[in-house]
Amino acid sequence: MASLSQSEENYLKEIFHLTQLQKEKVSTNSLASRLNTKASSITDMLQKLAEKQLVQYIKYKGCSLTENGEKIAVQIIRKHRLWETFLVNKLNFGWDEVHEVAEELEHIDSVKLVDSLDQFLNYPKFDPHGDPIPDKNGKIPYRKTKMKLVDAGIHKKLEIVRVNEDEMGLLKYLERQNLQLGTKLEIIEKFSFDDSMLVRTELDTTINLSKKVTENISVKIVEN
């Protein structure tokens, strides 16, 4: 198959992400919203990808990835997350700085480079935001115990395992609050009037977090 354009690769990646979120066919409207593109442009691209047998598309019924389309999407995601890990761990980028750079680097078409990068990083399972990194065979690590902080119970011992990398403001806010992957905390109180919560960190600091923040943080329960 001829090489794909960056735009085509981006479409495959976003269809994959939306499929994981929705567990159903992806509508042109949801894809247009995600890519900030007109629905008519979405339709044109989906027809092109369907001709290349990378998506299954039926007008008014949405689209899904073919087996080959999904394989390509997963490898693009693998490259993106490996590059983010490299930028944070080896070049000291902040976790709020790497997404746009990785968006460019993910389109480099070199299997040898990506496999060497994976080996150099010692085969990481998760990127700096806690998202799983697919291996060279497309297998995606799975963390069974993950839940959103907003849904966690009071007085449970918790550890931050993922944050939403799409929210740049959130990443900067968490950095200022010294809340990072691996930070251990406990919910002290939940406030019903605005669904915010008071948490105490392992550094014995207390922080009030809004619902918007806690909806974008994933945690796991830490055994005592």
Side-chain angles (χ1 to χ4, degrees):
M1 177 181 291
S3 61
L4 301 176
S5 68
Q6 289 191 16
S7 181
E8 289 171 325
E9 290 187 345
N10 286 335
Y11 269 74
L12 295 178
K13 182 178 65 172
E14 296 307 329
I15 293 170
F16 180 87
H17 284 316
L18 286 169
T19 301
Q20 297 302 298
L21 290 172
Q22 301 171 179
K23 305 298 181 184
E24 59 186 17
K25 286 186 180 296
V26 175
S27 71
T28 53
N29 285 338
S30 61
L31 197 53
S33 177
R34 177 109 180 174
L35 291 167
N36 194 26
T37 303
K38 294 186 298 183
S40 59
S41 298
I42 298 291
T43 299
D44 290 343
M45 178 60 81
L46 291 178
Q47 290 172 341
K48 290 179 183 178
L49 293 172
E51 290 173 1
K52 295 183 178 183
Q53 299 183 333
L54 297 175
V55 303
Q56 294 177 332
Y57 171 60
I58 301 176
K59 195 172 183 179
Y60 305 123
K61 293 188 177 180
C63 68
S64 59
L65 296 173
T66 63
E67 182 178 352
N68 194 34
E70 183 171 327
K71 286 180 179 178
I72 294 172
V74 169
Q75 289 307 311
I76 296 167
I77 291 167
R78 176 179 181 236
K79 288 187 285 184
H80 182 102
R81 293 176 180 173
L82 283 173
W83 282 119
E84 286 193 334
T85 303
F86 174 76
L87 291 168
V88 170
N89 292 359
K90 303 301 180 180
L91 297 186
N92 299 317
F93 277 64
W95 65 351
D96 60 315
E97 300 176 306
V98 296
H99 181 71
E100 290 186 1
V101 181
E103 285 283 301
E104 298 296 325
L105 294 171
E106 71 186 26
H107 298 293
I108 297 174
D109 186 18
S110 172
V111 174
K112 182 178 180 180
L113 173 62
V114 176
D115 288 347
S116 297
L117 180 64
D118 196 12
Q119 182 181 31
F120 177 70
L121 295 170
N122 198 26
Y123 307 103
K125 300 292 186 185
F126 299 92
D127 74 7
H129 309 102
D131 287 315
I133 302 175
D135 66 17
K136 65 185 299 182
N137 298 314
K139 184 177 181 181
I140 301 175
Y142 179 67
R143 187 182 271 125
K144 294 180 180 179
T145 56
K146 185 177 67 175
M147 73 178 103
K148 289 187 177 181
L149 179 56
V150 69
D151 298 321
I154 293 177
H155 301 308
K156 296 289 186 181
K157 303 296 183 181
L158 307 168
E159 180 182 334
I160 297 176
V161 296
R162 181 187 179 275
V163 297
N164 185 358
E165 74 166 328
D166 293 331
E167 295 286 346
M168 292 298 106
L170 170 70
L171 297 175
K172 292 178 180 179
Y173 172 77
L174 295 178
E175 188 79 21
R176 289 196 300 270
Q177 299 296 335
N178 203 26
L179 295 174
Q180 305 167 353
L181 293 189
T183 296
K184 295 180 176 59
L185 51 83
E186 176 185 357
I187 300 173
I188 304 303
E189 189 173 359
K190 290 187 174 183
F191 304 102
S192 59
F193 76 95
D194 64 353
D195 293 320
S196 65
M197 65 173 63
L198 189 67
V199 302
R200 179 186 297 126
T201 73
E202 57 193 327
L203 300 176
D204 203 31
T205 58
T206 56
I207 307 170
N208 187 277
L209 300 176
S210 70
K211 182 181 180 182
K212 184 173 182 180
V213 170
T214 59
E215 285 179 330
N216 285 282
I217 297 175
S218 295
V219 296
K220 69 176 183 180
I221 295 176
V222 178
E223 301 296 333
N224 293 327

